[in-house]
Amino acid sequence: LIQLSVPLNFIGFIYREIRQGLTDIEQMFDLLDVPQEIVDKPGAKPLVVGSGKVEFCDVQFSYDPNRKILKGISFEVPAGKTVAIVGPSGAGKSTVSRLLFRFYDIQGGKILIDGQDIRDVTQESLRAAIGMVPQDTVLFNDTIAYNIRYGRVDAGEEDVRKAAELAQIGPFIERLPDGYRSMVGERGLKLSGGEKQRVAIARTILKAPPILMLDEATSALDSHTEQEIQAALDLVSKGRTTIVIAHRLSTVIAADEIIVLQDGQIAERGTHAALMRKAGLYASMWDRQREATEAEERLRIARERD
Ligand code: ATP
């Protein structure tokens, strides 16, 4: 039993990595020779992206039948606008991003991109239209240039360099002993969370997708790094339909609409100012966060005094 469960666990591990890393899924599935749960409809057509409007209409979803995760979620991201999704841990925020990629099929409602149900189009065209900047980017054991070029494999050296500059990681790469040829990943140079996220941003800049899905890191970044990443993200999301799972106040303040998820339902929605005035769940979330930040700050000052 042990002999069998180890490889199964390992496959499970790889499988989760693929799901989370959103890497070259079809190819990986071919390699692993496991059946893909989601198949294209017979005669599925490629997604035709116009302005890039995203709609969730009464979406219901559960991973297992006994536990509903999304209980009828409706929201719209108009073309070029940004919607931030916030809410307590386990509320279903990442699930929303997995569903947009159609990693799972929903049990009720519809998800539309420019009016097309995502179940009616090819998965390849769907995933080509969406750029993902995950919380934790998986890097390949290869050069940093290869890792950036992954966003668009035919990109030239100059394009890779430009994308890195825009993603605010250019100077960091130039300072490495082997520059763009430096090996990264498990067997190479270890990058910090913020650096990996900027590699993902550079990839996305090369891919230039009409729709963006950002999953902000929950872990605290120092304020300088945070500003750099914010600047890079502002740049990629400009003029693109963007859904962001937001953990930073600066991101949500700038969002056109904020959706507060709780227990698989939309508890509140609106702009930052309107939600603060409402003094509900959203406002209390930020108050708690501010208290935590202030406490940290006091601790830091006290440490510096000692
Ligand atoms: P966090 O802020 O902690 O990342 P979240 O709001 O993104 O949380 P989700 O990851 O969407 O939450 O998960 C919502 C619920 O679905 C959680 O209770 C989680 O346990 C459950 N869940 C997530 N992935 C799976 C899965 N693959 N199989 C079964 N249940 C899952």
Side-chain angles (χ1 to χ4, degrees):
L1 186 68
I2 290 171
Q3 269 178 340
L4 183 69
S5 74
V6 167
L8 281 180
N9 272 337
F10 184 59
I11 290 174
F13 167 74
I14 296 177
Y15 186 69
R16 278 194 300 279
E17 283 286 308
I18 296 165
R19 287 240 153 153
Q20 280 163 15
L22 312 177
T23 47
D24 203 335
I25 291 125
E26 264 99 18
Q27 200 190 335
M28 290 292 237
F29 273 108
D30 285 349
L31 284 176
L32 290 174
D33 201 23
V34 284
Q36 225 170 319
E37 287 166 51
I38 306 283
V39 286
D40 283 352
K41 251 192 186 170
K45 299 227 160 43
L47 174 73
V48 181
V49 189
S51 54
K53 178 164 99 170
V54 174
E55 288 167 278
F56 273 60
C57 313
D58 195 24
V59 169
Q60 304 191 28
F61 176 73
S62 45
Y63 292 98
D64 78 73
N66 304 322
R67 196 164 150 247
K68 272 206 164 176
I69 302 294
L70 297 183
K71 306 168 185 166
I73 301 283
S74 300
F75 66 88
E76 184 187 316
V77 197
K81 300 283 183 200
T82 296
V83 164
I85 301 179
V86 302
S89 178
K93 304 180 295 292
S94 305
T95 301
V96 167
S97 69
R98 290 179 207 129
L99 295 181
L100 181 62
F101 274 93
R102 208 183 160 209
F103 282 154
Y104 301 92
D105 269 336
I106 56 181
Q107 283 96 27
K110 275 189 280 199
I111 301 174
L112 307 175
I113 295 179
D114 286 334
Q116 300 147 83
D117 192 313
I118 61 168
R119 286 169 295 201
D120 294 339
V121 302
T122 63
Q123 292 170 74
E124 193 188 357
S125 65
L126 173 69
R127 289 172 195 158
I130 307 168
M132 170 80 181
V133 179
Q135 239 190 67
D136 201 9
T137 303
V138 180
L139 294 181
F140 301 103
N141 289 305
D142 207 304
T143 64
I144 196 154
Y146 176 91
N147 272 280
I148 294 174
R149 188 173 283 120
Y150 190 74
R152 179 159 56 84
V153 286
D154 63 357
E157 229 160 84
E158 204 33 50
D159 292 335
V160 169
R161 216 171 277 270
K162 225 180 273 163
E165 292 295 329
L166 292 173
Q168 315 274 331
I169 191 152
F172 166 82
I173 299 173
E174 308 276 351
R175 281 196 304 271
L176 297 175
D178 294 319
Y180 281 81
R181 290 203 197 96
S182 305
M183 297 298 286
V184 293
E186 281 308 304
R187 291 194 287 276
L189 212 80
K190 300 272 189 299
L191 301 190
S192 75
E195 286 152 5
K196 279 197 278 190
Q197 199 163 34
R198 274 173 284 171
V199 170
I201 295 171
R203 264 182 204 168
T204 311
I205 290 172
L206 276 185
K207 186 174 174 182
I211 297 163
L212 258 188
M213 184 82 234
L214 310 177
D215 196 348
E216 284 185 346
T218 32
S219 54
L221 300 164
D222 65 78
S223 62
H224 179 67
T225 308
E226 184 173 327
Q227 275 166 22
E228 283 190 338
I229 291 182
Q230 195 60 47
L233 287 178
D234 287 349
L235 204 129
V236 265
S237 61
K238 203 165 184 183
R240 297 212 160 95
T241 309
T242 304
I243 299 175
V244 52
I245 299 170
H247 297 285
R248 292 197 280 268
L249 187 55
S250 50
T251 311
V252 277
I253 286 178
D256 297 293
E257 187 179 30
I258 301 157
I259 305 276
V260 186
L261 268 192
Q262 188 183 29
D263 291 334
Q265 277 168 321
I266 297 180
E268 294 174 2
R269 68 201 305 162
T271 59
H272 174 74
L275 288 175
M276 287 310 274
R277 275 199 302 276
K278 202 170 173 206
L281 180 65
Y282 178 82
S284 68
M285 257 173 58
W286 286 123
D287 286 343
R288 269 206 308 278
Q289 173 139 339
R290 199 175 45 232
E291 279 163 25
T293 317
E294 282 167 6
E296 247 167 57
E297 190 67 7
R298 277 197 300 276
L299 202 68
R300 191 180 59 79
I301 292 168
R303 272 208 210 102
E304 275 172 12
R305 252 201 328 256
D306 292 344

